Amino acid sequence: MDLNSASTVVLQVLTQATSQDTAVLKPAEEQLKQWETQPGFYSVLLNIFTNHTLDINVRWLAVLYFKNGIDRYWRRVAPHALSEEEKTTLRAGLITNFNEPINQIATQIAVLIAKVARLDCPRQWPELIPTLIESVKVQDDLRQHRALLTFYHVTKTLASKRLAADRKLFYDLASGIYNFACSLWNHHTDTFLQQVSSGNEAAVLSSLERTLLSLKVLRKLTVNGFVEPHKNMEVMGFLHGIFDRLKQFLECSRSIGTDNVCRDRLEKTIILFTKVLLDFLDQHPFSFTPLIQRSLEFSVSYVFTEVGEGVTFERFIVQCMNLIKMIVKNYAYKPSKNFEDSSPETLEAHKIKMAFFTYPTLTEICRRLVSHYFLLTEEELTMWEEDPEGFTVEETGGDSWKYSLRPCTEVLFIDIFHEYNQTLTPVLLEMMQTLQGPTNVEDMNALLIKDAVYNAVGLAAYELFDSVDFDQWFKNQLLPELQVVHNRYKPLRRRVIWLIGQWISVKFKSDLRPMLYEAICNLLQDQDLVVRIETATTLKTDQFLPYLETMFTLLFQLLQQVTECDTKMHVLHVLSCVIERVNMQIRPYVGCLVQYLPLLWKQSEEHNMLRCAILTTLIHLVQGLGADSKNLYPFLLPVIQLSTDVSQPPHVYLLEDGLELWLVTLENSPCVTPELLRIFQNMSPLLELSSENLRTCFKIINGYIFLSSTEFLQTYAVGLCQSFCELLKEITTEGQVQVLKVVENALKVNPVLGPQMFQPILPCVFRGIIEGERYPVVMSTYLGVMGRVLLQNTSFFSSLLTEMAHKFNQEMDQLLGNMIEMWVDRMDNITQPERRKLSALALLSLLPSDNSVIQDKFCGIINISVEGLHDVMTEDPETGTYKDCMLMSHLEEPKVTEDEEPPTEQDKRKKMLALKDPVHTVSLQQFIYEKLKAQQELLGEQGFQSLMETVDTEIVTQLQEFLHGF
């Protein structure tokens, strides 16, 4: 592509590609796609996006196409790769000027330079870093900023490379430029600190922006640029200096307003300081050891004393707490139980920790966490009143929850209490003691303190197991507090039921549960919505049946009342747990829920996570209703259809639960319906996905085979067989076994239609046996499939043998002999008793025979038969006779204990199938006797005796023992 002639054309097409008119946009995009592989195209793009007189949107698009081209065509081995000559020109052009006036475009240029650097620096682009270093020294503000921005993105990209050779190059780079990076950062930091009191907001913002960028560079160099950073004086000097710099920046916050860009940038810089420390601690815990003392002193003073008043902000407090938590929990700082086995570095760090966390320090931290940070704030109480569901969502883990202060304080409390429980348990018990008895409803502060202490006791439940008599406390203190109905007492009602939920799985007598359930029934009717939601979330279902109707009704009413998706999900989860626990006993009470769920499904069209919760509820509902779930099909089947249709966007969220619902629907279906059969159309694309859901897909296919094999196989077997043939080419060993088990089940359920429908797969099975498949589990399944064909459809086996003899270019008898020989040889691959008996029955079915090949393999057939007898025969101690333990003569209804799930419709179908299966209806002992007698009659006494002489005498003796009495 000629640069001069092409620039105008490319510029015109880029302009068209920025159009909002699709008729103009689409052809332009197609043309640009064609040019992507043309030599010179990226040089034209470079000229366009570096021409500041052109339209911003056109330049932006040119940058994006250039950046995407780096990913696709910059590597030497890429198809249509750029020539080395053009790349050299492009590299030089990218760093000629750092004077891009538009921030967004400047950032994109910095990113694309970093992308090239990842591939070419330093070997093909040695001049990049020196050019950047020189450019960040210039006095021109714009050029300096753009060069610094690029310097950061290049450093960030090179630091992310993980190959050993790349790491070595970055170590060399870091050691070479670290001193300069420190000087640069100190210069911009000092400039900012001097200007902050000048009142010139633009100058302050400019220097602060440079401080932030240079600190980002230093963060990457410090954390990723050294193998043993503690041995580098410059690195440790920078890290030790962070604390003084942090104090300076925190003090600056007093003179900068709360609502402006400078404040935002200042807080980002302060947070970045803490990120440097956290990243360094994470990557180099032993190098961090000299910083432990200072980090703890700094964090504790700003978070737990008056030092931080007026200068700290929430995100900074969170970061400081994270720093304390990481030091407390750090595995590298925990000595072994036997101190002598610990490294000197670990012991040194542990010693520093122990010296800092003295009794007074720990006590103060614990008391401040509980009495200050655990207190519900005015803002939270207002939210409780104005938006109770929003409050509940925030408390239980909304989108911003993990970044907010409350969960961070609770996690820190748990970690410190666990680490120093012997010191802190008496402190918390003392706080509990001071709060015995009811609290004055007029004293809101006392109510909030009690709420905070109860929160701490709940969080520390496992640590306080031996120190708190929770049963007595429940009866004497907590239960009476649940009965205080005053509106101001609602924070404590909510907290107490949450607290009981924390302790119920730790230490709670079962005979107290009725008292608890009475209280829960009352709380589910509480005037306050937050209390009702917390009560529902706390609900456990042991010893639940006397309260089932009341609680299920109240939970359903709560589900209807709440409006937030997250809250509905919580309540649905509790309802699902209740249904799962009581199973069939839920049937009288679910009518209202069954009527409501279709409406809720329709309302939640834009909320896929709520739909996932509905699917989970439906799974438990179908299991609870059993065969009666057929009444739900008008709603249930369209839900399954949508959830498992990979052409529908929601399947990304709904597929896993949708497949599980499909499976339990089949398992509990009393009979097939046209609609249930029709949704199997979704299966073929699912099998093509070959995802982690494949196992469930195979279970669903088996479910259809057990439910209605004839209709199902006649409708879908051809397509299913094609999918299986494709899967078998590329699937894992376990996947092959799953496919073959489906075929085996089809043959078992429908011996006539099954072999016909899966005929294309059976030659592969036959070949696998003849060639001695090397994986035992696959060979075992091959033999199970072939055993079914040989035993239950002899004519089909004969036609298959004819087909395979033609393919192998062998005589049928010779091929049959080879198969029997391999079968006998690999019998030990079969571990399941049912399959071992099946193999014996199948090979015995070849008798009586005057075929010389079969007679030649007679010894092997008898060996397998005797092995089968050993597997299945049990001796009656009273009569001394043997009987086949696999025989099932009548359908016995299994006795279901309270803890067991009742049999599904599919379980019943499998039981009925077993009553028709030769493995469970034919006595192996009887079958052997009849086959040997028929063989004797065919050959005559002398011929039969000659045949028996080919069998080992020990085997003959064992056979006679088993056949004694016939």
Side-chain angles (χ1 to χ4, degrees):
M1 185 176 280
D2 179 70
L3 252 131
N4 296 322
S5 60
S7 290
T8 306
V9 180
V10 174
L11 180 60
Q12 182 182 358
V13 175
L14 280 170
T15 304
Q16 292 168 351
T18 63
S19 171
Q20 300 297 313
D21 184 352
T22 53
V24 178
L25 172 67
K26 290 296 180 185
E29 287 181 337
E30 285 298 318
Q31 181 60 70
L32 289 168
K33 188 170 182 61
Q34 292 176 20
W35 283 339
E36 280 182 0
T37 56
Q38 290 291 313
F41 176 61
Y42 295 96
S43 298
V44 174
L45 290 179
L46 176 64
N47 286 345
I48 290 172
F49 71 69
T50 54
N51 185 345
H52 304 159
T53 63
L54 297 176
D55 180 74
I56 292 174
N57 292 324
V58 172
R59 294 173 58 227
W60 171 262
L61 198 58
V63 171
L64 292 185
Y65 268 94
F66 193 107
K67 191 174 75 171
N68 293 336
I70 295 169
D71 292 332
R72 293 173 188 160
Y73 309 115
W74 198 274
R75 295 179 188 273
R76 292 179 183 178
V77 294
H80 310 291
L82 276 72
S83 68
E84 291 303 314
E85 293 76 18
E86 185 173 6
K87 288 199 288 187
T88 301
T89 305
L90 293 173
R91 284 192 293 258
L94 286 171
I95 56 174
T96 301
N97 289 303
F98 295 100
N99 59 352
E100 173 55 54
I102 307 300
N103 284 333
Q104 294 91 330
I105 295 178
T107 300
Q108 289 301 320
I109 292 172
V111 169
L112 71 85
I113 289 173
K115 282 179 174 287
V116 175
R118 183 180 185 86
L119 300 171
D120 289 358
C121 184
R123 292 187 178 90
Q124 284 80 39
W125 207 1
E127 65 273 19
L128 173 62
I129 300 298
T131 302
L132 289 172
I133 289 174
E134 287 305 312
S135 299
V136 297
K137 295 177 182 177
V138 299
Q139 295 304 307
D140 182 279
D141 280 357
L142 181 65
R143 286 191 62 198
Q144 187 186 72
H145 179 273
R146 299 318 190 214
L148 192 51
L149 179 67
T150 307
F151 192 24
Y152 160 60
H153 280 286
V154 168
T155 309
K156 177 184 176 183
T157 300
L158 295 179
S160 68
K161 298 178 79 172
R162 288 290 169 260
L163 293 177
D166 294 327
R167 304 294 316 131
K168 175 68 169 61
L169 287 172
F170 191 69
Y171 296 149
D172 294 341
L173 171 67
S175 61
I177 67 171
Y178 196 84
N179 187 38
F180 168 77
C182 277
S183 301
L184 186 69
W185 170 69
N186 276 315
H187 166 72
H188 289 306
T189 303
D190 290 336
T191 303
F192 162 71
L193 293 171
Q194 290 163 10
Q195 291 178 336
V196 76
S197 58
S198 67
N200 185 341
E201 190 172 319
V204 171
L205 184 59
S206 176
S207 59
L208 185 54
E209 186 71 35
R210 285 158 176 72
T211 301
L212 185 60
L213 281 172
S214 55
L215 183 56
K216 285 181 176 182
V217 172
L218 262 183
R219 177 190 177 193
K220 294 299 176 186
L221 294 176
T222 303
V223 175
N224 303 106
F226 301 89
V227 179
E228 297 178 305
H230 58 282
K231 294 182 179 179
N232 187 301
M233 290 178 62
E234 290 174 337
V235 171
M236 298 311 291
F238 161 67
L239 290 167
H240 279 290
I242 281 180
F243 302 102
D244 291 330
R245 289 299 198 187
L246 264 172
K247 289 178 181 178
Q248 292 174 322
F249 275 70
L250 286 165
E251 284 302 314
C252 287
S253 64
R254 296 184 192 275
S255 55
I256 293 180
T258 55
D259 292 318
N260 58 32
V261 180
C262 279
R263 178 74 187 198
D264 176 66
R265 282 288 182 272
L266 178 66
E267 290 190 358
K268 281 187 174 179
T269 308
I270 291 169
I271 294 303
L272 189 58
F273 279 122
T274 63
K275 285 182 176 179
V276 174
L277 294 171
L278 286 165
D279 288 354
F280 191 76
L281 171 56
D282 181 56
Q283 294 294 316
H284 307 282
F286 290 128
S287 294
F288 192 87
T289 300
L291 300 162
I292 292 176
Q293 179 78 18
R294 190 81 189 275
S295 298
L296 291 172
E297 288 173 351
F298 177 87
S299 300
V300 169
S301 65
Y302 273 93
V303 174
F304 296 111
T305 73
E306 65 281 354
V307 171
E309 290 178 9
V311 295
T312 58
F313 51 96
E314 185 170 301
R315 185 82 192 280
F316 171 72
I317 295 171
V318 168
Q319 291 292 91
C320 286
M321 287 186 174
N322 285 336
L323 189 57
I324 298 170
K325 181 183 70 177
M326 280 185 70
I327 293 172
V328 168
K329 283 188 69 177
N330 203 299
Y331 183 75
Y333 301 159
K334 292 186 178 181
S336 306
K337 289 183 178 179
N338 186 357
F339 263 58
E340 288 76 18
D341 296 336
S342 305
S343 68
E345 294 84 359
T346 297
L347 292 176
E348 182 187 356
H350 180 68
K351 182 180 176 183
I352 296 170
K353 273 174 55 181
M354 295 304 291
F356 178 81
F357 286 113
T358 59
Y359 176 79
T361 302
L362 285 168
T363 303
E364 184 59 25
I365 289 174
C366 181
R367 289 188 185 281
R368 289 277 292 183
L369 279 170
V370 175
S371 63
H372 179 69
Y373 289 107
F374 280 14
L375 289 183
L376 287 169
T377 63
E378 282 294 328
E379 183 183 358
E380 288 170 322
L381 291 171
T382 302
M383 188 178 187
W384 184 326
E385 293 297 332
E386 296 177 355
D387 182 14
E389 283 192 64
F391 171 82
T392 305
V393 170
E394 284 293 313
E395 283 285 295
T396 53
D399 289 340
S400 61
W401 185 79
K402 61 183 177 181
Y403 302 111
S404 62
L405 185 55
R406 179 169 297 282
C408 185
T409 59
E410 291 178 352
V411 170
L412 178 62
F413 174 82
I414 292 168
D415 290 337
I416 287 185
F417 204 94
H418 176 74
E419 189 75 10
Y420 302 103
N421 62 80
Q422 289 185 330
T423 303
L424 293 177
T425 295
V427 178
L428 190 53
L429 292 176
E430 182 191 336
M431 295 170 83
M432 284 175 60
Q433 280 299 121
T434 61
L435 299 173
Q436 292 301 315
T439 303
N440 185 355
V441 294
E442 301 301 324
D443 190 345
M444 196 62 192
N445 187 55
L447 291 171
L448 292 179
I449 288 175
K450 182 178 269 193
D451 173 84
V453 173
Y454 283 5
N455 187 13
V457 175
L459 294 172
Y462 284 96
E463 308 297 337
L464 296 172
F465 178 86
D466 292 322
S467 304
V468 174
D469 186 345
F470 189 80
D471 296 329
Q472 285 299 316
W473 196 38
F474 169 76
K475 287 190 292 187
N476 300 334
Q477 174 81 15
L478 300 180
L479 198 57
E481 293 201 287
L482 287 177
Q483 294 160 356
V484 179
V485 296
H486 196 283
N487 185 52
R488 284 196 168 195
Y489 221 77
K490 64 187 180 186
L492 273 181
R493 290 198 299 276
R494 166 186 167 267
R495 180 60 67 191
V496 168
I497 196 64
W498 170 87
L499 171 63
I500 294 167
Q502 296 296 106
W503 274 85
I504 201 167
S505 56
V506 178
K507 192 178 188 179
F508 194 75
K509 282 184 180 175
S510 59
D511 57 6
L512 294 177
R513 288 180 188 267
M515 297 167 66
L516 172 60
Y517 288 138
E518 291 285 351
I520 287 175
C521 286
N522 292 328
L523 288 172
L524 282 172
Q525 302 170 73
D526 195 279
Q527 60 184 352
D528 186 76
L529 181 60
V530 174
V531 174
R532 293 204 300 280
I533 293 169
E534 186 64 64
T535 304
T537 308
T538 306
L539 189 60
K540 299 291 188 293
T541 55
D542 297 334
Q543 301 177 7
F544 189 69
L545 291 177
Y547 308 91
L548 178 59
E549 182 176 6
T550 302
M551 288 196 188
F552 195 85
T553 303
L554 292 170
L555 284 168
F556 175 67
Q557 290 171 0
L558 180 59
L559 177 65
Q560 289 179 297
Q561 182 183 357
V562 298
T563 57
E564 292 283 340
C565 278
D566 283 331
T567 322
K568 283 187 179 291
M569 285 165 61
H570 278 299
V571 180
L572 272 173
H573 173 69
V574 178
L575 281 165
S576 295
C577 290
V578 171
I579 296 168
E580 182 181 24
R581 178 63 183 159
V582 301
N583 207 284
M584 295 170 62
Q585 294 168 96
I586 199 65
R587 292 180 183 182
Y589 315 116
V590 295
C592 53
L593 182 63
V594 167
Q595 290 177 352
Y596 176 64
L597 285 177
L599 174 64
L600 184 58
W601 180 264
K602 188 175 181 180
Q603 291 173 343
S604 62
E605 190 171 355
E606 301 299 319
H607 305 283
N608 287 310
M609 297 314 292
L610 177 54
R611 284 195 159 184
C612 286
I614 296 171
L615 288 172
T616 303
T617 305
L618 283 171
I619 289 167
H620 296 307
L621 201 52
V622 169
Q623 289 170 327
L625 290 172
D628 291 346
S629 61
K630 186 183 177 186
N631 299 326
L632 299 181
Y633 283 6
F635 167 55
L636 200 59
L637 299 187
V639 166
I640 295 171
Q641 164 72 38
L642 174 70
S643 304
T644 60
D645 184 350
V646 297
S647 68
Q648 298 290 330
H651 90 272
V652 175
Y653 303 94
L654 307 179
L655 181 58
E656 186 173 349
D657 293 317
L659 286 171
E660 192 64 34
L661 178 59
W662 191 356
L663 177 60
V664 299
T665 300
L666 284 169
E667 289 174 341
N668 290 278
S669 176
C671 59
V672 74
T673 67
E675 296 79 15
L676 185 57
L677 198 60
R678 194 176 302 124
I679 59 175
F680 193 80
Q681 293 170 358
N682 283 2
M683 183 56 70
S684 183
L686 288 166
L687 293 176
E688 289 174 17
L689 280 180
S690 295
S691 67
E692 64 275 7
N693 296 309
L694 212 48
R695 185 187 294 272
T696 309
C697 290
F698 288 131
K699 288 180 180 178
I700 288 168
I701 297 167
N702 282 322
Y704 275 103
I705 289 170
F706 291 126
L707 179 61
S708 180
S709 65
T710 302
E711 286 182 81
F712 172 67
L713 291 174
Q714 287 175 341
T715 310
Y716 291 110
V718 174
L720 190 59
C721 199
Q722 289 174 349
S723 296
F724 281 179
C725 288
E726 290 300 313
L727 273 174
L728 287 170
K729 294 175 184 176
E730 55 190 36
I731 206 168
T732 62
T733 301
E734 184 184 356
Q736 289 180 47
V737 171
Q738 294 298 325
V739 170
L740 293 167
K741 279 184 177 177
V742 172
V743 177
E744 188 178 13
N745 283 328
L747 301 177
K748 184 195 300 185
V749 175
N750 202 321
V752 178
L753 192 58
Q756 297 171 18
M757 292 302 178
F758 288 105
Q759 191 277 332
I761 292 175
L762 294 177
C764 167
V765 174
F766 197 103
R767 181 181 294 274
I769 295 171
I770 292 294
E771 295 178 351
E773 163 63 44
R774 63 192 179 114
Y775 290 108
V777 65
V778 178
M779 187 63 164
S780 169
T781 317
Y782 279 164
L783 294 174
V785 170
M786 199 52 60
R788 288 286 169 191
V789 177
L790 178 56
L791 179 63
Q792 295 179 261
N793 197 330
T794 309
S795 61
F796 189 88
F797 178 78
S798 297
S799 63
L800 177 63
L801 187 62
T802 305
E803 178 189 346
M804 296 309 296
H806 179 71
K807 285 186 178 180
F808 278 97
N809 196 23
Q810 290 183 13
E811 293 294 325
M812 282 177 57
D813 286 350
Q814 182 188 356
L815 194 60
L816 177 61
N818 292 343
M819 187 193 76
I820 297 171
E821 187 174 329
M822 187 59 71
W823 203 322
V824 173
D825 184 58
R826 299 294 292 275
M827 185 67 179
D828 286 344
N829 288 167
I830 306 176
T831 55
Q832 303 93 327
E834 291 88 351
R835 274 206 193 130
R836 290 176 69 82
K837 180 178 177 181
L838 175 66
S839 286
L841 291 171
L843 290 176
L844 282 165
S845 70
L846 294 169
L847 302 178
S849 175
D850 57 1
N851 184 306
S852 60
V853 171
I854 294 177
Q855 289 187 21
D856 185 49
K857 306 300 178 187
F858 180 80
C859 171
I861 294 173
I862 297 301
N863 285 347
I864 283 183
S865 302
V866 173
E867 280 188 39
L869 287 169
H870 280 291
D871 291 329
V872 303
M873 301 302 285
T874 56
E875 187 177 5
D876 188 329
E878 293 181 8
T879 63
T881 57
Y882 290 94
K883 64 177 181 177
D884 190 330
C885 67
M886 287 194 182
L887 291 180
M888 296 169 61
S889 57
H890 61 281
L891 184 61
E892 297 177 2
E893 279 296 328
K895 294 178 181 178
V896 182
T897 65
E898 191 175 331
D899 293 330
E900 290 179 326
E901 292 183 4
T904 64
E905 295 300 305
Q906 182 162 299
D907 293 331
K908 295 173 185 176
R909 286 191 283 271
K910 285 182 177 180
K911 196 73 180 288
M912 292 297 293
L913 175 62
L915 291 174
K916 301 175 185 177
D917 186 351
V919 172
H920 296 293
T921 57
V922 175
S923 164
L924 181 58
Q925 186 185 32
Q926 179 84 29
F927 197 65
I928 292 173
Y929 173 76
E930 291 173 357
K931 288 295 182 179
L932 290 180
K933 188 175 180 183
Q935 187 70 30
Q936 185 180 29
E937 290 172 356
L938 177 67
L939 297 181
E941 183 65 35
Q942 187 176 355
F944 181 69
Q945 277 305 119
S946 298
L947 203 56
M948 287 300 295
E949 285 172 5
T950 64
V951 183
D952 185 83
T953 54
E954 179 61 32
I955 299 294
V956 173
T957 304
Q958 293 174 22
L959 180 62
Q960 289 169 343
E961 286 180 15
F962 280 120
L963 298 183
H964 179 68
F966 278 90

